[in-house]
Amino acid sequence: EPEVTQTPSHQVTQMGQEVILRCVPISNHLYFYWYRQILGQKVEFLVSFYNNEISEKSEIFDDQFSVERPDGSNFTLKIRSTKLEDSAMYFCASSDLWGDSSYNEQFFGPGTRLTVL
Amino acid sequence: QKEVEQDPGPLSVPEGAIVSLNCTYSNSAFQYFMWYRQYSRKGPELLMYTYSSGNKEDGRFTAQVDKSSKYISLFIRDSQPSDSATYLCAMSDPYSGAGSYQLTFGKGTKLSVIP
């Protein structure tokens, strides 16, 4: 069964450092997403990506964040200068192309736990 | 404002009990309503989704949506220890025009089913 994979499973970094979180979406999917979940809080939408550009982003997704699809399989989230409050679980998700009348499930990866010290 | 409220629990029930999980929301534009299950340190996994109002049944699980009250429910019949997990409600507005269908989640309810 196809699945979304994410690496690394756990990333520890110092405040101010850059981190890149990597995701391999399901191969025939066209929409890609990043969500985050701070410990004990809601899963929050960060950004969606389609056709090599950002479709929508939340207020959380400020200039410190960027996303990229560097090749045909990977989807990355970069945080340029990490802050303590960036510590969270980051989930990548992917979905098939939405039709007018059909629902397309977002499949989530297992997450990357980011710890900023 | 897209906001979803869910009682985080925790909820502890004996095996075989009927479980009721609920969410309320404020954005009347939400059209798709989902229930995800999340095990510890794992990603959310879709259980069921419903479009607009109504009921949907899948085995021991029943999802209900009442758009007039902005209230959704998930019922689990004959609960099993393997149902122990955090249950997240999520919603989306597919016609927002932004073209991304972002999900708005509730905080999740942690369920423990005791053998």
Side-chain angles (χ1 to χ4, degrees), chain A residues 31 33 35 37 40-43 45 48 55-56 89 91 98 100 102-103 105-106 108-110 113, chain B residues 4-5 32 34 36 38 41-44 46 49 88 94-95 98-103 105-107:
Chain A
Y31 276 97
Y33 310 81
Y35 292 82
Q37 185 177 29
Q41 302 298 316
K42 296 179 180 182
V43 175
F45 169 78
S48 62
S55 301
E56 194 172 16
M89 195 77 161
F91 294 107
W98 283 72
D100 289 338
S102 64
Y103 168 79
E105 177 183 351
Q106 289 186 29
F108 283 78
R113 184 155 61 102
Chain B
V4 178
E5 297 298 324
Y32 282 103
M34 284 72 72
Y36 281 83
Q38 186 178 24
R41 299 192 182 278
K42 301 289 185 184
L46 181 71
Y49 78 91
L88 310 171
Y95 307 115
S100 80
Y101 317 111
Q102 61 171 280
L103 299 179
F105 283 87
K107 200 171 182 180

Side-chain angles (χ1 to χ4, degrees), chain B residues 28-71:
Chain B
S28 58
F30 286 140
Q31 295 289 337
Y32 282 103
F33 304 90
M34 284 72 72
W35 287 96
Y36 281 83
R37 179 172 59 195
Q38 186 178 24
Y39 294 108
S40 181
R41 299 192 182 278
K42 301 289 185 184
E45 175 190 23
L46 181 71
L47 266 179
M48 299 178 69
Y49 78 91
T50 308
Y51 176 72
S52 195
S53 283
N55 295 355
K56 190 171 186 178
E57 189 172 320
D58 183 3
R60 297 184 293 109
F61 298 88
T62 299
Q64 289 185 352
V65 174
D66 181 350
K67 289 193 69 182
S68 62
S69 302
K70 297 190 179 69
Y71 187 86

Side-chain angles (χ1 to χ4, degrees), chain A residues 36 44-46 57-63 65 86:
Chain A
R36 80 171 185 189
E44 301 172 289
F45 169 78
L46 292 178
K57 59 184 180 179
S58 71
E59 294 175 352
I60 303 168
F61 194 87
D62 60 23
D63 292 343
F65 292 88
D86 293 328

